Amino acid sequence: MRFRDRLRGFFYGRYGIDALYYALFVAFLLIWVVRIFLTNIAADIILNLVEFALLFYMLFRAFSRNIYARRKENEKFLGFFRAIKNFFILQKNRIRDAKKLRYRKCPHCKAVLRLPPEKGKHTVKCPRCGDRFEVKVVL
């Protein structure tokens, strides 16, 4: 019991594991798998150093007591990751809806609009910013 209490006391107030930790862990595993199939010694050494740097940074973040700074780092990462995720979701939706809808960007606010596939020129009003603009649908 005494060891468990000491361990609990050590982890009290530490930041712990979050989404950035998991992303760093996945990157660590990917580099490790690449290193298995690598035959170049120089590249192997460089990737080994990158692995250790990732591992050190993961542990540093998990055991850190500066919760505010670690939370800001995680929020930045989540914003970056969300942008990438939304890009791929949009591409998937474009492929799925190719026969039913046309996707166009508003030139003013850059919002992506889903439009019916009616051929010709149309004037469209953006629901986000209210700007009117011309759209030409060919197919």
Side-chain angles (χ1 to χ4, degrees):
M1 276 304 245
R2 193 170 178 102
F3 176 73
R4 189 184 331 174
D5 292 337
R6 285 186 183 176
L7 195 61
R8 187 177 299 140
F10 174 75
F11 281 105
Y12 182 78
R14 307 284 177 170
Y15 184 67
I17 296 173
D18 59 2
L20 179 55
Y21 180 92
Y22 288 123
L24 291 171
F25 184 69
V26 168
F28 174 81
L29 289 178
L30 288 175
I31 292 173
W32 180 68
V33 169
V34 167
R35 275 190 56 231
I36 290 174
F37 299 108
L38 206 58
T39 58
N40 188 347
I41 295 173
D44 186 51
I45 292 171
I46 291 171
L47 288 179
N48 196 13
L49 291 174
V50 171
E51 269 185 347
F52 282 119
L54 283 174
L55 189 61
F56 175 77
Y57 189 57
M58 286 166 42
L59 294 175
F60 166 75
R61 290 189 82 257
F63 294 133
S64 174
R65 289 186 183 259
N66 191 351
I67 293 173
Y68 177 73
R70 302 295 84 79
R71 188 172 292 153
K72 278 182 72 174
E73 290 171 356
N74 191 45
E75 286 176 11
K76 266 187 178 177
F77 166 74
L78 288 175
F80 172 74
F81 184 73
R82 192 174 300 118
I84 293 172
K85 180 181 169 187
N86 288 344
F87 172 78
F88 284 108
I89 288 173
L90 178 64
Q91 299 310 314
K92 181 189 80 157
N93 291 343
R94 280 184 176 196
I95 293 168
R96 182 192 66 200
D97 300 334
K99 292 182 181 179
K100 297 181 280 183
L101 299 170
R102 298 295 175 257
Y103 287 80
R104 298 291 186 266
K105 267 191 181 179
C106 172
H108 187 257
C109 69
K110 307 296 185 215
V112 178
L113 308 176
R114 296 182 306 170
L115 306 172
E118 298 170 2
K119 293 181 183 177
K121 279 190 177 180
H122 304 284
T123 302
V124 178
K125 181 182 176 187
C126 177
R128 183 187 286 179
C129 67
D131 188 34
R132 292 189 181 276
F133 60 96
E134 294 250 338
V135 172
K136 184 178 179 182
V137 178
V138 178
L139 296 174

